[in-house]
Amino acid sequence: MLRLYTHSACLQHDPGQGHAERPARLRAVLQALDHDRHAALDRVEAPRATREQLLRVHSSAHVEHILGSAPPEDGTYRLDEDTVMSPGSVEAALRAAGATVAAVDAVLSGAVQRAFCAVRPPGHHATRDQAMGFCLFNNIAVAAAHALAAHGLKRVAIADFDVHHGNGTQAIFEREPRVLFLSSHESPLYPGSGREDERGVGNIVNGTLSPGAGSDEFRALWDDVLLPRLHAFKPQLVLVSAGFDAHRNDPLANIRLGQEDYAWITERLVALANTHAEGRLVSTLEGGYDLAALAASAAAHVHSLMA
Ligand SMILES: [Zn+2]
């Protein structure tokens, strides 16, 4: 049984007409998961993250800035060129981060083995002090910090296959040897970080894909570089920043994956969790901006998580 955390508040974060990171993304994912094949999903409403949970990875100035910046009705508040808040954004961001925390609690208590958080805004670009790249709070980092602080884990892995580098996650954990962060991403591309020589304290592993790369290059990168590092780390918990914008139809990037590649990487990560982490895996939605590609890819991911 796979647990699905989501919340209707995540549909109320609206960066505005024409913005790629739009509520229709989450609607498309949830509709795809309504299919009969996913009837066995254990659907749970995401709680809000607490200040204490957010403050493990964010500065108090950043947390107070986000919590205090909800614009009045029908207004927007622009944090940077492409990161915008609407009246529903604070609640959405709290539920998105809270989903990953609840999911960590659920898999570490043994209530379920794996969980997927269908939430937005995404998180992996948010740094300790700054919202950026559509991200307000760093959801997967909040989850990892919770696993360390509240559950006392010693080795938590974060696998990030979003097409963009998870610069925020890397920056938050680059001096934290209890967290291994691995990322496959297109380079050059936003946000510009993620070179292979960025290694943190030996706990950061970046793998780059050239524009135009496809399934063969993606699978070789994971099989030859990233998965061996993950296995050597022997994580007690596997966290996944699941972005689906490396799909060939995605408008924001130039990698040519198909939904079958997302099934493939998910199967590998599930096997890894089964080998080292008693099966414990928590995945959360990051990017993916073509609605049909996103829906099909997220469904393939969830299907593989349920296998
Ligand atoms: Zn992305």
Side-chain angles (χ1 to χ4, degrees), residues 72-159:
E73 202 176 339
D74 295 333
T76 55
Y77 176 68
R78 194 165 285 270
L79 292 157
D80 71 18
E81 202 171 307
D82 46 30
T83 312
V84 183
M85 293 177 68
S86 67
S89 297
V90 170
E91 183 71 9
L94 289 172
R95 298 286 180 177
T100 66
V101 170
V104 164
D105 285 339
V107 304
L108 289 175
S109 73
V112 291
Q113 201 170 35
R114 295 188 279 275
F116 178 63
C117 302
V119 294
R120 53 182 291 280
H124 73 155
H125 295 306
T127 67
R128 182 171 296 279
D129 303 307
Q130 203 178 356
M132 63 179 277
F134 317 157
C135 302
L136 303 181
F137 297 131
N138 193 315
N139 307 318
I140 205 72
V142 172
H146 184 70
L148 300 179
H151 295 278
L153 295 198
K154 303 274 193 290
R155 295 181 310 283
V156 176
I158 303 173

Side-chain angles (χ1 to χ4, degrees), residues 264-299:
W264 179 86
I265 185 59
T266 308
E267 287 161 18
R268 291 295 186 280
L269 294 170
V270 165
L272 176 105
N274 287 341
T275 299
H276 300 291
E278 300 171 40
R280 300 180 298 211
L281 185 151
V282 170
S283 173
T284 191
L285 180 64
E286 300 281 2
Y289 302 98
D290 177 85
L291 296 185
L294 170 62
S297 300

Side-chain angles (χ1 to χ4, degrees), residues 140-288:
I140 205 72
V142 172
H146 184 70
L148 300 179
H151 295 278
L153 295 198
K154 303 274 193 290
R155 295 181 310 283
V156 176
I158 303 173
D160 184 331
F161 57 71
D162 188 281
V163 80
H164 302 97
H165 181 236
N167 62 294
T169 313
Q170 173 173 309
I172 287 166
F173 293 121
E174 62 191 353
R175 281 183 281 279
E176 173 48 86
R178 293 177 295 173
V179 175
L180 178 70
F181 174 68
L182 304 99
S183 173
S184 62
H185 49 272
E186 182 178 339
S187 178
L189 191 67
Y190 181 92
S193 55
R195 291 191 324 266
E196 277 144 11
D197 63 358
E198 295 168 18
R199 299 199 179 101
V201 289
N203 66 326
I204 305 292
V205 189
N206 286 311
T208 58
L209 297 164
S210 299
S215 179
D216 290 349
E217 293 88 348
F218 177 80
R219 295 186 187 204
L221 173 59
W222 281 94
D223 267 343
D224 299 344
V225 180
L226 302 177
L227 287 165
R229 287 294 299 275
L230 263 171
H231 275 288
F233 184 66
K234 297 184 171 62
Q236 296 165 293
L237 171 68
V238 177
L239 302 178
V240 182
S241 268
F244 301 101
D245 38 11
H247 191 283
R248 65 175 70 88
N249 292 344
D250 196 276
L252 297 195
N254 314 284
I255 302 298
R256 296 179 295 107
L257 300 190
Q259 65 193 69
E260 66 282 1
D261 296 302
Y262 292 112
W264 179 86
I265 185 59
T266 308
E267 287 161 18
R268 291 295 186 280
L269 294 170
V270 165
L272 176 105
N274 287 341
T275 299
H276 300 291
E278 300 171 40
R280 300 180 298 211
L281 185 151
V282 170
S283 173
T284 191
L285 180 64
E286 300 281 2

